[in-house]
Amino acid sequence: MYGLEHGVHHFQSFEGVHSLPMILHDAGYRTGIIGKKHVAPMDVYPFDYSKTEIDDPSMSLQYGRNITLIKELAQDFLSGCKNDSRPIFLYNFYTLALIETT
């Protein structure tokens, strides 16, 4: 996704951008995101299912790093698709690669 948000410099997408979740929604997809969202503004990046640091700031470290929780959230998204004939798109962003190891 394009609209990488950076609060210090107020970097984000323009309001009129037609983003990936918008394009997929318009094409009939059920969309989901798990992990670090890190895009803005929120109305440019709508997802049908969203479990990110934006949705619950108290869980921000868990949503991107807790592999068991991420698996359970993915299962939750997929189980919600069982009675839905639309194609699906699930964006899953892990933040484990961003942890310093020194």
Side-chain angles (χ1 to χ4, degrees), residues 9-25:
H9 303 292
H10 192 66
F11 181 69
Q12 61 183 3
S13 294
F14 293 110
E15 291 286 336
V17 169
H18 204 64
S19 67
L20 179 61
M22 285 181 163
I23 293 167
L24 291 171
H25 182 268

Side-chain angles (χ1 to χ4, degrees), residues 20-26 28-33 45-50 77 81 84 86-91:
L20 179 61
M22 285 181 163
I23 293 167
L24 291 171
H25 182 268
D26 291 349
Y29 280 72
R30 181 169 193 252
T31 60
I33 183 169
Y45 295 92
F47 286 87
D48 299 312
Y49 179 94
S50 182
F77 171 79
C81 298
D84 192 333
R86 295 179 291 171
I88 62 172
F89 172 80
L90 177 60
Y91 180 80

Side-chain angles (χ1 to χ4, degrees), residues 48-95:
D48 299 312
Y49 179 94
S50 182
K51 298 293 182 183
T52 72
E53 79 285 359
I54 304 297
D55 303 305
D56 185 356
S58 70
M59 293 287 289
S60 65
L61 293 179
Q62 297 299 313
Y63 283 146
R65 298 178 182 175
N66 184 331
I67 295 170
T68 301
L69 176 64
I70 292 168
K71 175 194 74 156
E72 291 168 357
L73 293 171
Q75 289 172 329
D76 183 52
F77 171 79
L78 293 172
S79 68
C81 298
K82 285 182 181 178
N83 296 321
D84 192 333
S85 62
R86 295 179 291 171
I88 62 172
F89 172 80
L90 177 60
Y91 180 80
N92 193 3
F93 185 82
Y94 296 92
T95 58

